[in-house]
Amino acid sequence: MTPLLAHIEGIGFWTRGLPSWNAAVVHASAGTLVADAPSRPSPQLLPANERRRAPETVAVALEVAMAACHDAGREPSTLPSVFASTHGDLGITDYMCATLADEPRSLSPTRFHNSVHNAAAGYWTIGTGAMAAASAISAREASFAQGLLDALAHLANGDEAVLLVAYDGQASGPLARMAPSDGLLGGALVLSRQAAAGRPQLSVQLVQRHGDRDASGPLATLAAANAMAPMLPLFDLLARGNGSARVVAGPDHDLLVEVTGAEAAHG
Amino acid sequence: MPPLAIRAYTATSAVGRGREALAVALRDSRSGLRRNDFGTAPLDCWIGRVDGLEDLPLPGPFSRWDSRNNRLAWLALNQDGIPEAIAAMIERHGADRVAVVVGTSTSSIGATEDAYANLDDGAFPADLARADVHTPHSLGEFVQHATGLRGPAITVATACSSSAKVFAQAARLIAAGLADAALVGGVDTLCGSVLFGFNSLQLVAAEPCRPFDAGRSGLSLGEAGGFAVLERAQPGDAGLQLRGYGESSDAHHMSSPHPDGLGAQLAMRDALARAGIDAGEVGYLNLHGTATPANDSIEAAAVARLFPDSLHASSTKGWTGHTLGAAGIVESVIALIALELGQLPGTLNSSAPDPACGPQIRFQPQRVDIDYAMNNSFGFGGNNCSLVFGRA
């Protein structure tokens, strides 16, 4: 296939100890963590009462999405969006299944509507007033790669720019052994068709999978136990500058992602 | 957009297995709804249940994906020439060039619920300790393995718009050169999460649902699965095609639609624009029409703003129940049946129109040949998708 191209206008990142893309870039070169980092993000997009009550997966998704839009200087309401999550909110799934086993008629309506896989996408479009298309997808360890392909397909079909958001949270209860995921991790990219001054370009190709995918970068090592960790080789690459990385795209395929033009890397 | 040929299509729901059963039930006004007999201590409501799934375990090689949802996926995959169409796509393009794009709202969560109800010393019982069913992509991954397709494989989970959006996503993938063809579809099965979840929102009717009826009181939940095989249209093609899609967000509320139906209008306008047709050219519109008091009147008003009085629009939830993440594919199949047979369904169980309904909302079926059919699917989080189908 011909590689798909995109320009990275903005990056958002959050994990415990690294509450911003700046902090992630510093960590990638110096190995430091932010000492007083909060244990969960506090996305300003939500009204104060909802900010506290929102599931942590929603909080991290909104935080990195907004950070990426700010970085890009894009008005969030104008962008179509793709939200990728391996498991959605595992804490809510645990609650739902435990309550159904115990007292099904007491199920919380709020927890139920927060249980949909597109909860983060829903809060995002409501909070920003975005009426463009929003998707929510899952593809197990290939969730980020498949989300990236959909985002690139948006650009190839005429959208000027698109927001890609990827996140997973903490597993809990008996489900944790079947769907393991630790910590809280989110990454977001604003991708565009037009070159942006000083911003890196991505070239993405679906290739046959083979054994030498490198997940030994500092970010990939730090958050290795989170279900969205397969996206981290790309974020390690972006923190480093130019080069290429392989991101798992399915049982048989990887995405070969090449980053160029990152000399004036921001962050 | 460049049209996509529909090489095969199918749906299995409470009215029966495959397209013929669906077409006959629509023609004969035979509902698939029954009193809720799902699970222990069932809620007092009506459901659209697919018979026989309990006795249809997945074949040995696929047993790690065995769940009610994947059983229905397997059942639906083996109807109406879908396997032959998939084989033809593999032959023509190679398995790497055929994508799998499927939608669901709850995937195999019924299996996770079962595990929680039967914990063995705090852990999942041995027969359910299979990671392959306890994740949203269980459906996409199973379909990928069951078909041997090796292109991009993805599960779309945007609640009740899921398996309409798969058409849009597959169209984008093919246009971007990431695939030459795609198997699209969706499967959702009855489970505690949706029955008790919708009950907690007080959206479930005690009686069979009555879409757009002045006396409607809520939805009936159902389960279904369906698939379609899409391929870039070729010169000289004859047959059914996907002509347009439109996606939008309400940007309003997690579980209630925009009061003026702005998102719904945006999705419908976008689908018509991509198809390059005027609203007046649409012969049939399958409405989202869940039979909840708010949703139906808002959708009816949005339709009345866009379409002439001559449009025949109906909700078919009275036959199948609201099949959630599968509604998009099942109702797309109904729209394709309308296009192929000129058989436009009415709205089963409904008799007294809500004053909010314009003349477009039809309760009686009609027999007339049409050029274009459309389907609306709207989901939680204000996630909307409309599709336009036509003929080469």
Side-chain angles (χ1 to χ4, degrees):
Chain A
M1 61 168 273
T2 320
L4 293 169
L5 304 178
H7 298 274
I8 298 185
E9 289 191 350
I11 305 178
F13 189 87
W14 199 100
T15 195
R16 294 203 168 108
L18 299 176
S20 69
W21 178 236
N22 269 321
V25 172
V26 171
H27 175 77
S29 60
T32 49
L33 295 176
V34 174
D36 54 351
S39 66
R40 64 174 266 162
S42 181
Q44 299 306 302
L45 190 61
L46 294 173
N49 57 336
E50 281 190 40
R51 207 178 301 151
R52 284 189 302 274
R53 288 188 315 209
E56 65 175 22
T57 49
V58 169
V60 79
L62 300 192
E63 179 78 12
V64 297
M66 193 51 99
C69 289
H70 279 155
D71 189 24
R74 287 265 179 190
E75 169 54 47
S77 66
T78 61
L79 297 173
S81 54
V82 179
F83 285 73
S85 177
T86 314
H87 298 300
D89 195 288
L90 287 161
I92 291 181
T93 309
D94 175 50
Y95 159 82
M96 297 273 296
C97 293
T99 305
L100 287 166
D102 198 23
E103 253 191 280
R105 283 172 169 78
S106 73
L107 207 65
S108 148
T110 305
R111 296 271 202 123
F112 171 61
H113 81 219
N114 283 340
S115 75
V116 296
H117 199 72
N118 61 320
Y123 282 106
W124 172 255
T125 56
I126 294 164
T128 60
M131 297 195 74
S135 193
I137 62 104
S138 173
R140 255 178 125 171
E141 59 175 0
S143 295
F144 178 78
Q146 294 293 332
L148 179 56
L149 287 179
D150 187 28
L152 294 169
H154 268 281
L155 298 182
N157 279 265
D159 284 309
E160 188 199 337
V162 60
L163 171 67
L164 169 65
V165 185
Y167 60 94
D168 269 291
Q170 177 71 43
S172 60
L175 177 58
R177 279 160 73 177
M178 292 297 124
S181 182
D182 283 340
L184 186 59
L185 172 65
L189 302 173
V190 172
L191 300 166
S192 72
R193 285 196 294 164
Q194 297 298 318
R199 298 292 161 113
Q201 177 178 293
L202 278 188
S203 163
V204 178
Q205 216 173 341
L206 253 180
V207 296
Q208 288 296 319
R209 187 167 178 182
H210 61 78
D212 63 350
R213 212 170 340 96
D214 179 11
S216 64
L219 299 175
T221 305
L222 179 72
N226 185 278
M228 197 41 76
M231 77 174 179
L232 292 172
L234 173 59
F235 283 82
D236 270 315
L237 172 59
L238 290 169
R240 209 163 57 231
N242 295 327
S244 66
R246 295 174 82 99
V247 180
V248 57
D252 308 303
H253 295 90
D254 286 340
L255 288 189
L256 179 61
V257 186
E258 207 171 330
V259 173
T260 51
E263 285 81 10
H266 52 294
Chain B
M1 61 172 267
L4 287 176
I6 296 170
R7 302 296 184 204
Y9 70 107
T10 188
T12 288
S13 69
V15 298
R17 300 176 182 185
R19 205 165 74 218
E20 174 74 12
L22 180 55
V24 168
L26 290 167
R27 189 194 65 204
D28 297 347
S29 294
R30 182 181 64 79
S31 173
L33 298 179
R34 63 165 96 170
R35 274 200 181 280
N36 183 10
D37 56 359
F38 188 82
T40 53
L43 292 167
D44 185 18
C45 62
W46 290 63
I47 58 168
R49 180 172 183 167
V50 175
D51 284 318
L53 293 178
E54 297 74 17
D55 306 318
L56 288 173
L58 292 179
F62 307 126
S63 56
R64 50 193 267 225
W65 288 285
D66 193 32
S67 69
R68 184 176 185 85
N69 208 60
N70 288 337
R71 287 180 184 194
L72 181 48
W74 181 244
L75 181 61
L77 262 181
N78 285 292
Q79 310 288 329
D80 294 320
I82 296 285
E84 293 77 9
I86 291 171
M89 292 304 108
I90 292 175
E91 171 81 22
R92 207 170 303 159
H93 306 291
D96 280 344
R97 297 289 300 167
V98 187
V100 170
V101 189
V102 290
T104 186
S105 68
T106 52
S107 201
S108 297
I109 204 171
T112 317
E113 294 171 6
D114 285 348
Y116 270 71
N118 297 285
L119 289 176
D120 184 357
D121 201 15
F124 279 20
D127 62 326
L128 288 166
R130 294 177 277 119
D132 302 302
V133 294
H134 303 294
T135 190
H137 189 48
S138 178
L139 174 63
E141 192 179 74
F142 166 64
V143 170
Q144 184 183 32
H145 281 85
T147 57
L149 295 175
R150 295 198 316 227
I154 195 165
T155 300
V156 176
T158 53
C160 309
S161 59
S162 302
S163 62
K165 283 174 82 82
V166 298
F167 285 89
Q169 188 148 343
R172 276 195 294 272
L173 284 176
I174 291 172
L178 285 158
D180 295 316
L183 173 68
V184 300
V187 184
D188 243 338
T189 29
L190 292 164
C191 59
S193 296
V194 298
L195 284 160
F196 290 100
F198 276 97
N199 183 62
S200 77
L201 293 172
Q202 300 180 307
L203 292 176
V204 180
E207 53 177 20
C209 68
R210 289 185 287 158
F212 298 98
D213 191 285
R216 68 188 179 276
S217 60
L219 49 77
S220 301
L221 292 160
E223 60 189 354
F227 293 94
V229 177
L230 308 179
E231 184 186 25
R232 212 176 270 121
Q234 307 295 323
D237 261 352
L240 300 167
Q241 295 184 328
L242 174 70
R243 290 294 188 84
Y245 61 83
E247 297 166 279
S248 74
S249 301
D250 274 358
H252 175 68
H253 191 270
M254 278 306 287
S255 55
S256 55
H258 191 286
D260 298 322
L262 290 184
Q265 288 184 62
L266 201 58
M268 289 189 280
R269 281 184 206 282
D270 197 27
L272 292 170
R274 216 172 246 112
I277 61 168
D278 294 326
E281 294 177 76
V282 176
Y284 174 65
L285 170 59
N286 190 291
L287 298 153
H288 190 55
T290 57
T292 64
N295 291 16
D296 285 7
S297 50
I298 288 168
E299 187 179 13
V303 167
R305 271 186 213 109
L306 278 183
F307 290 94
D309 294 359
S310 55
L311 174 70
H312 182 115
S314 70
S315 164
T316 48
K317 301 282 198 276
W319 276 272
T320 60
H322 185 3
T323 63
L324 309 172
I329 183 70
V330 170
E331 294 166 29
S332 291
V333 168
I334 293 172
L336 289 166
I337 289 172
L339 203 48
E340 192 164 38
L341 306 179
Q343 182 185 306
L344 317 188
T347 304
L348 193 58
N349 302 332
S350 300
S351 54
D354 181 325
C357 296
Q360 300 87 0
I361 312 295
R362 308 293 178 93
F363 287 179
Q364 296 305 317
Q366 195 184 355
R367 173 73 191 77
V368 59
D369 289 331
I370 59 171
D371 294 325
Y372 296 97
M374 192 163 171
N375 178 34
N376 278 349
S377 294
F378 306 145
F380 263 23
N383 199 292
N384 311 302
C385 185
S386 297
L387 302 171
V388 173
F389 299 100
R391 241 189 324 251

